[in-house]
Structures are given as structure tokens and as C-alpha cells.
């Protein structure tokens, strides 16, 4: 249910729109609406982005203390139409915190977009074999893949791909941070992002967004649960396979005292060793599935953020409407002389005596100006709200399709992994059985 | 035989045994299932003894049909023992009696007493110590039945033990308790004489071949013990894995309830994991019921064999002591007195019996373990096949609407 729109007055708030316009102006391609810009995956057709390397570095941080961090090499290639050859056009190094900066910027300037998430900052949902150390090479490798995935997601988004700051992220190594900060997004961020965690009451919530927020909460909860249990399952499965390795040794020792049975036992033992060591690769593959789930766990957060931003907008709107209504009322009271609403002026008037007609006129005039301004603001807020809902809902639909597609693919690849694991198991035990049959 | 290496006991085997294993119909343990004791199915479930030709087998024994008896004083299980034989020692061609574990225990003691020079097969454990095992659960009773069946079949296969009078009574008597009360009446000569050895003699050294058997049994029991621990550990890990799987599957169901297009695929994955969990449970049950008990039986077997070896040592020690005593008494030279001769006889009989039994035991052991380990491999193959079927069947479900788009 949308709140009843008030009379439109004046021009819409230029703040939000201009930011998008600015980026579009500076973008390496034409302004919106022309030619290839509006196609999905535009960038993916013309540009190849990869995060190809990770490197450990030491440097000095803001407080001039030495720190170790990992830097990632981002390479951009442009693909020629005719022969499909790609040419390296840009190559630079970025660290995780710069990715974070980029994402925070996108969150502020595209509040109606479900912004793709970054891979996790710290390793979570680990099981005993997996390291929780950020400098661990496996973690770094998985993060590299996650960061590449993030850039590809942004590049394939019909709106985000046109952003100038994103373009500069890929092409301008030095000064990029300063450029981002110059957009002043931090100031906007303070008011918008911080409010994400606050609770406040909206009188006329939009049912669709309320349902969507609820869905995103549930989704986060269920995927978290799934990831936690999956990690425990992996742990246990690891244990089962590894214990079988003990058969290898004992069969070998036993075969030493046997004549006829010896060879069969010995070779079967070898297969038990193969079985035990096969689990490492199996579980490494499964981590990839876990990463796919994690991406959507974090996507759920991004989805929720959009809902909250809408809530915030709605709240602002309601507050503005309330304020306007109260001012109108005050004005009316002053004009008619009746006092129904409480005001400090009213109080002091009672205490110190009536004001002069001139004073009252002055106050009415001030109020009328404020009312005018308020009506303009309300109109623009309303417009902003409607635009937001329209754009947000479009992106949400896009996101839903993407989610359904991606998760189905993930489930298929998981099933394929399980099938492969079963086939390996059958193979090993069949081999062992044959060895036993020769005893 | 010589040099530093311990000769393998298999070198003691006089003949080479070809592979005369019968292919068992269900690939299971020889103590098969509780089907009726017809001759042909009995034949199918026999282990071959190489002293007897397959065609001339004349004694068939089966244990089946467990029944629970509830009396005022106690509750217990009896098993039906069916015997078919053409031997003259049996008055009737066929017998069917009911026996309880106590009776088997009695039989085994009697056999040990009366045939001390032979290896007596082990019984399944008397008491179940660990955990919450229900003595009357189907699984426990079935495991025990198989072991008791194995026990009797091993005796049946033995050329000497199968003719033992106690064994005959066990198989045929209507009232076994009455017979039990008769006590020591039927001890054999050898048994009697061996019983009189007080065990006060100390053996200087075991002959090489028996030392080799002793060493072999020691290592064998050790290795089996290790395998038993590994198998138990695997089952434990599998059960813990199962616990997690049982929580894992349903989460996909919970998720499915939130979704639209993804609902069916997620539900499919949940069901799939459920099927794998069931398959895993079947695997762990099978290993617990079929694998572990046989391992433990063999450990008991080798323990009882070691005591027989010690008794043999005793007999040899007595002989050597007496011989030495004679050597010191100058007046009895050069004639060897009768009782020393008797001792020598006893020792040589014991040695011969033991060697023959060891050969037989080695061959049976090889067949038993071949079967046991193949069975273990089979169960694991079946587990993976069940899981494979489950996962393969949901691939089309997952891919479904994908193509429709």
C-alpha cells in the first residue's frame, strides 16, 4: 500500500539523480539511452575482467604501523569483435579494503539496487581442516575467485556497469581512493547506512517490501544454518575416510605373516590408502559449493538493505507529511484565533499576554513560507519514493531470476559432485573386493 | 625350515589345497539364513573340509528358528537344531531338538575336556557387556544364531570331533539336562590321561614348528585386535556422520518452503540426502551385526588355540621329564619303561592331532576371511550404489525448468 500522494509541487530532488547523471557523463561510453549501453552484460561482451593473481605485501597503515596484507591483480581485456582476440588494456593491484570502499560507494549511490556482495572478510563456517587464517593460501585463493566474481557481477549489471567510479576502479590505480572520497558519498552514507540498524515505525508500510524483507531474513537464517551443518558434515565425512587409512597399515602388517592370503591383503590395503586420501579433493570441490551458497547468504543481506532503505524513505516521507500537516494546522489556528495545538508561543502568550496583530501576521507569513517549502519537499519526496519503488522492484525481479538460475546451477553441480564421489567409492571398494577374492 | 626367519605355518601343510570353495548363493557367511534345513540348502552352506570329499558328506547340522521362552524364573531363547545323517552312530536319519546357549556352552566344555588335543571352535561371547544391547532384539539373536550355526558346522566338519559322543547327544537327546547330570561318565582314554597331568612340568623349549604356530597366533590375534578397533572406530565415525546428515537434509526442506521456483529442486535434494542417510544406517547396522562378531570369534579362537598349545607343551614336558628321570636311574637302562613309552605316545598323538587341526584351521580361516572381507567390500559398494541412484535420479528434476526457459 503506497501512502496517499500529496500534491506535486516543484522539481524532484536533484540530489540522487544528479549523482547517477554525473557518473554516466564521465563513463567511457555515451549517455544513457543510446545504443549498446542499455543491454545487459554489455561489459561482458566487450570486456574481460579477471582477478588473476594474489600477492602478499607489507606496508604502512594509516597509523604508520607496519602491516601485512594481500594485494590482488585486476586485469581488463577488451575483446575484438571480429577475431575474438583479447588485448590487455588495463592492469592494476587492489587490496580488499579498496573493494569494500567501492561497494560502500555503490550502496550509497544505488540504494534501489541489490548490490552484489563481496566474499567474506574473515573465514567463517570452517571445519577443522579448513583454516580460519586470512593469510592461508587456500583462503586467499578462494577470496581471489570471490573478488573476481564480484567484479563480474557488477560488470554484468545493466545499471552498475555504467558507473564511473567502477570504471576508474578498473583503470586508475593511483588516486582512486581520493576520487571516491571526493564524491562525498561518506556523508550520505552516514545518514543512510547507519539507519539500517535502527528500528522505527512506519505507519503505512509497503506490503511487498515487508514480505521481501521477511524473506531475506529467513533466507539468511536458513543458508547460515545450512552452511554450519554442511561444515560439520564435511568434518565427519573426513573422519570416516581417514580412519580407513589404518586398514592399509594393518593389512600390510598382517600380510607379512600369511602365505596364501598375503598378496590379496597387501594389495587391498593399498586401495584402502587410496580411499582415505581421496577425501581431500572431494571436500575441496565441495568448498566451491559452499562459496556459492555464501554468495547468496550475503546477497540476502543486500536485498534486506534495499528493503530497509525503502523503509527509511517511507519514514522520511511520513515524517515530512506529518510536519507539514502540523504546520498547516498551526497556521490555521493563528489565522482563526483558535488554539488547538500546543506551541511554545501559545504557552508564552498565555503567560505573558496576547501578541500584537503585527506579530501574529509575521508568524503566519513565516509559517506559510515553511508550508510552501514543505509541500515542495513532500512532492519531491513522493516522486523520489515512486521512482525508488519502480527501479528497486525492477532490480529485485532481475535479482530473483538470477538467484533462481544460479542456485539451481549450484545444486546441479553439487549433485554432480556427489555422483562423482559415489562412483569413486564404488571403484575403490570393487578393487578391494577383487583383491580380497584372491586371498 | 631354518635360518632366521620364522617359518610360516602354511609350510606345515602336507598337501597343497586347491580352491575347492563352493560359491555360496547369496555371497553371505556360510552360516546362512534361517531357511528350512533341507539337504540341498545345507549343502550350499557348507564349508569344505579337505579330509572329506564333498560327495561323501554324511552329517548335516543347522541352527535356526530362534524362539523366546518366558518362564517364571527367567526368559531365554532356544534355537532349533536340525540334524540329518546316515552315520551309524545316529539311530534315526533325522533329528530336531531345541537348545539354548547354556547347552552350547556345556557342549564346548565337554569337548575341551574329552578332546584336549584338538582345537575346539569358539562360541560367541557369553555376556554382552557394552552399551545398551538388548539380548532379545532381533539383530542380537540373529547374530548369535549365525555364530552358533558356525560353531556346530565347524564341529561337523571335523573328522574327530564330529564323532564325539557328547556332540551326538547334544544333537539327538530329547532331555539334555538328564544327560548332563551323568557327569564324567564318558571321558575318553586320552582325555583321562591328559587330565592327570598336573601341569607341574616345565618345558625347556618348544619345537620349532609349534613355536612358529605360537608366534603366528600371537601376531594374528594382535592384528585382528587392531582391525577390530579400526572397524569399531569406522562405525563410530559413520554414526556421527549420520547424525549430521539427519540434520542437514531437512534444512533444504525448510529452505524449500521459502521459495517458489526453487522449491521442488530443494525438496528433491532434501529427499536425496534422506535416502543416503538411510543407506548409511543400513551399512553401519550390517557392519555391526555381521563383521565385528566374526572378527571377535576369531580372536577367541586363537586364544583357545594358544591354550591347547600350552597343554601340548605340558605333555611334552612330562615326557621329557620322565625320560630324563629314567636316564638318571641306571638300573632301568637300556630298556625304556612302559609309562615313558605311554608318555611318548601321548605326545606324538597330540602333536599329530594339533598339526592336522592347524592345517584345517588355516584353510578355513583363509576362506572365512576371504568371505568376511569380500562381504565388507560388498556392503560398502551397495551403500555407494544406493547413494548414486539417489543423486542420479534428481539430476533431471534439477535440470527440468532450466530447459523449458
Amino acid at each position: 500500500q503506497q501512502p496517499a500522494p500529496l500534491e506535486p509541487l516543484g522539481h524532484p530532488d536533484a540530489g540522487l539523480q544528479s549523482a547517477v547523471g554525473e557518473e554516466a557523463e564521465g563513463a567511457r561510453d555515451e549517455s544513457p539511452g543510446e545504443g549498446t549501453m542499455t543491454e545487459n552484460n554489455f561489459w561482458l561482451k566487450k570486456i574481460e575482467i579477471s582477478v588473476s593473481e594474489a600477492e602478499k605485501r607489507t606496508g604502512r597503515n594509516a597509523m604508520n604501523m607496519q602491516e601485512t596484507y594481500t594485494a590482488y591483480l585486476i586485469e581488463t581485456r577488451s575483446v575484438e569483435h571480429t577475431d575474438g582476440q583479447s588485448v590487455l588494456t588495463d592492469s592494476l593491484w587492489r587490496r580488499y579494503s579498496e573493494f569494500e570502499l567501492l561497494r560502500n560507494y555503490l550502496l550509497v549511490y544505488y540504494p534501489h539496487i541489490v548490490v552484489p556482495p563481496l566474499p567474506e572478510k574473515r573465514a567463517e563456517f570452517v571445519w577443522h581442516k579448513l583454516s580460519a587464517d586470512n593469510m592461508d593460501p587456500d583462503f586467499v585463493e578462494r577470496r581471489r575467485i570471490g573478488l573476481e566474481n564480484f567484479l563480474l557481477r557488477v560488470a554484468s549489471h545493466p545499471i552498475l556497469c555504467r558507473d564511473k567510479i567502477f570504471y576508474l576502479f578498473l583503470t586508475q590505480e593511483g588516486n582512486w581512493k581520493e576520487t571516491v572520497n571526493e564524491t562525498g558519498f561518506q556523508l550520505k552514507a552516514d545518514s543512510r547506512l547507519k539507519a539500517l540498524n535502527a528500528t522505527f515505525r512506519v505507519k503505512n508500510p509497503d506490503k511487498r517490501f515487508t514480505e521481501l524483507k521477511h524473506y531475506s531474513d529467513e533466507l539468511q537464517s536458513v543458508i547460515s544454518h545450512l552452511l554450519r551443518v554442511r561444515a560439520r558434515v564435511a568434518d565427519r565425512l573426513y573422519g570416516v575416510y581417514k580412519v580407513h587409512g589404518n586398514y592399509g597399515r594393518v593389512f600390510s602388517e598382517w600380510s607379512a605373516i600369511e602365505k596364501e592370503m598375503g598378496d590379496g591383503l597387501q594389495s587391498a590395503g593399498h586401495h584402502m590408502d587410496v580411499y582415505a586420501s581421496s577425501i581431500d579433493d572431494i571436500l575441496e570441490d565441495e568448498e566451491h559449493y559452499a562459496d556459492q551458497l555464501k554468495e547468496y547468504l550475503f546477497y540476502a543481506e543486500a536485498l534486506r538493505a534495499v528493503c530497509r532503505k525503502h523503509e527509511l524513505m517511507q519514514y522520511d516521507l511520513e515524517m515530512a507529511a506529518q510536519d507539514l500537516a502540523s504546520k498547516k494546522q498551526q497556521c490555521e489556528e493563528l489565522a482563526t484565533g483558535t488554539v488547538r495545538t500546543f506551541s511554545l508561543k501559545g504557552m508564552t502568550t498565555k503567560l505573558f499576554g496576547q501578541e500584537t496583530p503585527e506579530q501574529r501576521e509575521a508568524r503566519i507569513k513565516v509559517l506559510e513560507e515553511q508550508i510552501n517549502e514543505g509541500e515542495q519537499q513532500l512532492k519531491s519526496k513522493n516522486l523520489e519514493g515512486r521512482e525508488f519503488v519502480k527501479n528497486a522492484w525492477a532490480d529485485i525481479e532481475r535479482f530473483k531470476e538470477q538467484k533462481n538460475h544460479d542456485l539451481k546451477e549450484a545444486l546441479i553441480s553439487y549433485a554432480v559432485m556427489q555422483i562423482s564421489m559415489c562412483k569413486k567409492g564404488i571403484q575403490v571398494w570393487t578393487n578391494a573386493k577383487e583383491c580380497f577374492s584372491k586371498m | 625350515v631354518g635360518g632366521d626367519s620364522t617359518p610360516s605355518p602354511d609350510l606345515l601343510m602336507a598337501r597343497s589345497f586347491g580352491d575347492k570353495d563352493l560359491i555360496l548363493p547369496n555371497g553371505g557367511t556360510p552360516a546362512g539364513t534361517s531357511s528350512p534345513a533341507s539337504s540341498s540348502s545345507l549343502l550350499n552352506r557348507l564349508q569344505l573340509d579337505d579330509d572329506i570329499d564333498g560327495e561323501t558328506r554324511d552329517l548335516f547340522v543347522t541352527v535356526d528358528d530362534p524362539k523366546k521362552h518366558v518362564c517364571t524364573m527367567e526368559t531365554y531363547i532356544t534355537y532349533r537344531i536340525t540334524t540329518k545323517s546316515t552315520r551309524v552312530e545316529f539311530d534315526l536319519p533325522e533329528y530336531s531338538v531345541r537348545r539354548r546357549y547354556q547347552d552350547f556352552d556345556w557342549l564346548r566344555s565337554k569337548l575341551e575336556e574329552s578332546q584336549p588335543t584338538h582345537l575346539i571352535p569358539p562360541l560367541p561371547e557369553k555376556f554382552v557387556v557394552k552399551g545398551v544391547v538388548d539380548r532379545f532384539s532381533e539383530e542380537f539373536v540373529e547374530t548369535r544364531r549365525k555364530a552358533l550355526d558356525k560353531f556346530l558346522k565347524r564341529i561337523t566338519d571335523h573328522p574327530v570331533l564330529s564323532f564325539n559322543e557328547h556332540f551326538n547327544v547334544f544333537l539327538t537327546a530329547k532331555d539334555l539336562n538328564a544327560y548332563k547330570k551323568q557327569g564324567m561318565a564318558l571321558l575318553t582314554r586320552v582325555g583321562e590321561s591328559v587330565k592327570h597331568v598336573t601341569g607341574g612340568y616345565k618345558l625347556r623349549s618348544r619345537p620349532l614348528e609349534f613355536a612358529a604356530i605360537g608366534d603366528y597366533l600371537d601376531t594374528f590375534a594382535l592384528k585382528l585386535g587392531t582391525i577390530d578397533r579400526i572397524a569399531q572406530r569406522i562405525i563410530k565415525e559413520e554414526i556421527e556422520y549420520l547424525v549430521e546428515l539427519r540434520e542437514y537434509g531437512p534444512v533444504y526442506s525448510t529452505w524449500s518452503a521459502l521459495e517458489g521456483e526453487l522449491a521442488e529442486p530443494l525438496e528433491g535434494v532434501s529427499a536425496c540426502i534422506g535416502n543416503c542417510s538411510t543407506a548409511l544406517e543400513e551399512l553401519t547396522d550390517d557392519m555391526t551385526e555381521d563383521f565385528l562378531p566374526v572378527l571377535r570369534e576369531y580372536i577367541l579362537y586363537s586364544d583357545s588355540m594358544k591354550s591347547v598349545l600350552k597343554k601340548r607343551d605340558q605333555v611334552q614336558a612330562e615326557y621329557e621329564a620322565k625320560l630324563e628321570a629314567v636316564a638318571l636311574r641306571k638300573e632301568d637302562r637300556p630298556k625304556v619303561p612302559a609309562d615313558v613309552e605311554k608318555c611318548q605316545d601321548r605326545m606324538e598323538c597330540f602333536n599329530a592331532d594339533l598339526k592336522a587341526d592347524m592345517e584345517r584351521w588355516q584353510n578355513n580361516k583363509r576362506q572365512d576371511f576371504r568371505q568376511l572381507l569380500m562381504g565388507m567390500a560388498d556392503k560398502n559398494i551397495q551403500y555407494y550404489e544406493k547413494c548414486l541412484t539417489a543423486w542420479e535420479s534428481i539430476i533431471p528434476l534439477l535440470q527440468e525448468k532450466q530447459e523449458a526457459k
Side-chain angles (χ1 to χ4, degrees), chain A residues 237 241 275 278-279 282-283 286 415-427, chain B residues 241 383-384 387-388 391:
Chain A
L237 189 60
Y241 271 73
Y275 182 69
S278 70
I279 192 64
I282 289 167
L283 288 176
E286 262 198 35
V416 168
M417 276 182 231
Q418 299 306 306
I419 288 169
S420 160
M421 179 171 90
C422 290
K423 284 185 175 166
K424 278 188 206 163
I426 291 170
Q427 184 64 61
Chain B
Y241 172 49
Y383 160 71
Y384 279 113
C387 292
L388 180 65
W391 285 106

Side-chain angles (χ1 to χ4, degrees), chain B residues 166-386:
Chain B
H166 300 298
F167 184 51
N168 187 303
V169 173
F170 177 89
L171 294 176
T172 60
K174 281 279 172 248
D175 183 359
L176 188 63
N177 287 328
Y179 176 79
K180 282 186 194 179
K181 288 184 182 125
Q182 288 175 44
M184 318 253 271
L186 299 167
L187 279 177
T188 62
R189 215 163 53 90
V190 175
E192 218 166 42
S193 55
V194 172
K195 259 181 80 71
H196 290 148
V197 173
T198 56
Y201 302 96
K202 182 98 192 212
L203 182 71
R204 263 186 224 114
S205 71
R206 241 183 208 174
L208 212 54
E209 58 187 342
F210 293 108
I213 294 174
D215 289 343
Y216 170 81
L217 289 174
D218 283 338
T219 311
F220 177 71
L222 259 177
K223 295 308 146 195
L224 282 197
T226 306
I227 292 172
D228 180 63
R229 276 192 300 281
I230 295 171
Q232 277 187 66
R233 181 67 192 278
I234 289 174
I235 291 169
K236 176 171 172 281
E237 295 284 339
E238 282 173 346
I239 288 172
E240 286 176 350
Y241 172 49
L242 182 62
V243 166
E244 301 299 348
L245 278 183
R246 291 237 184 261
E247 189 182 330
Y248 184 51
V251 182
Y252 283 97
S253 268
T254 308
W255 188 356
S256 163
L258 299 175
E259 298 287 340
E261 202 182 308
L262 289 176
E264 253 184 64
L266 287 168
E267 193 56 56
V269 170
S270 176
C272 201
I273 295 171
N275 289 337
C276 293
S277 305
T278 305
L280 182 60
E281 194 167 27
E282 283 162 16
L283 175 65
T284 55
D285 284 345
D286 281 348
M287 290 298 286
T288 307
E289 283 154 31
D290 295 338
F291 188 78
L292 292 179
V294 178
L295 268 185
R296 298 208 179 115
E297 216 173 83
Y298 260 93
I299 296 174
L300 290 172
Y301 216 156
S302 57
D303 283 345
S304 75
M305 283 159 74
K306 283 192 266 186
S307 5
V308 175
L309 267 180
K310 287 198 184 112
K311 280 191 220 153
R312 190 220 67 87
D313 289 347
Q314 283 302 301
V315 171
Q316 180 178 334
E318 190 194 352
Y319 166 66
E320 285 175 354
K322 289 198 169 142
L323 195 64
E324 217 175 275
V326 163
L328 294 172
R329 279 181 288 160
K330 291 184 178 123
E331 58 270 25
D332 277 330
R333 281 204 220 150
K335 200 182 88 176
V336 178
D339 68 327
V340 177
E341 250 179 44
K342 254 207 275 185
C343 262
Q344 189 182 16
D345 276 343
R346 233 182 279 143
M347 181 189 76
E348 283 168 0
C349 266
F350 207 144
N351 288 351
D353 284 347
L354 196 53
K355 270 163 74 171
D357 274 10
M358 263 313 289
E359 286 172 14
R360 185 175 301 108
W361 181 87
Q362 281 289 1
N363 194 41
N364 288 341
K365 172 211 77 186
R366 187 179 58 81
Q367 288 176 33
D368 284 345
F369 275 97
R370 180 177 178 274
Q371 197 130 61
L372 183 71
L373 292 168
M374 283 176 75
M376 172 175 90
D378 249 334
K379 290 179 178 98
N380 278 280
I381 292 169
Q382 282 162 32
Y383 160 71
Y384 279 113
E385 280 178 345
K386 286 175 199 164

Side-chain angles (χ1 to χ4, degrees), chain B residues 75-139:
Chain B
T75 304
Y76 59 91
I77 308 269
T78 64
Y79 304 84
R80 178 178 66 188
I81 320 293
T82 312
T83 309
K84 287 178 164 58
S85 178
T86 53
R87 290 187 184 180
V88 295
E89 288 81 8
F90 293 91
D91 297 332
L92 302 171
E94 188 168 333
Y95 290 88
S96 181
V97 297
R98 295 210 76 93
R99 299 285 181 245
R100 54 187 290 191
Y101 183 90
Q102 254 178 30
D103 302 328
F104 284 83
D105 202 28
W106 167 88
L107 172 63
R108 191 171 192 281
S109 310
K110 282 307 196 204
L111 286 174
E112 270 191 320
E113 260 176 45
S114 56
Q115 316 274 181
T117 62
H118 289 286
L119 301 174
I120 317 295
L123 276 177
E125 279 153 1
K126 195 171 209 163
F127 302 110
V128 190
V129 185
K130 265 193 187 149
V132 280
V133 182
D134 177 13
R135 279 188 308 131
F136 302 106
S137 75
E138 242 182 77
E139 295 82 21

Side-chain angles (χ1 to χ4, degrees), chain A residues 391-409:
Chain A
N391 294 328
W393 216 257
D395 198 58
I396 285 162
E397 288 302 321
R398 183 206 59 82
F399 169 74
K400 277 185 188 166
E401 297 254 321
Q402 176 198 294
K403 177 206 78 177
N404 287 338
H405 174 268
D406 289 351
L407 288 173
K408 228 185 263 190
E409 288 290 314

Side-chain angles (χ1 to χ4, degrees), chain B residues 37-89:
Chain B
S38 70
S39 298
S40 57
S41 67
L42 273 174
L43 181 63
N44 282 344
R45 290 188 255 128
L46 283 175
Q47 275 178 292
L48 262 187
D49 184 320
D50 286 274
D51 286 349
I52 304 170
D53 233 2
E55 287 83 53
T56 62
R57 182 166 286 284
D58 56 2
L59 175 63
F60 302 88
V61 179
T62 319
V63 179
D64 65 5
D65 190 34
K67 274 199 174 26
K68 193 160 154 185
H69 298 257
V70 183
C71 308
T72 40
M73 294 301 284
E74 55 175 348
T75 304
Y76 59 91
I77 308 269
T78 64
Y79 304 84
R80 178 178 66 188
I81 320 293
T82 312
T83 309
K84 287 178 164 58
S85 178
T86 53
R87 290 187 184 180
V88 295
E89 288 81 8

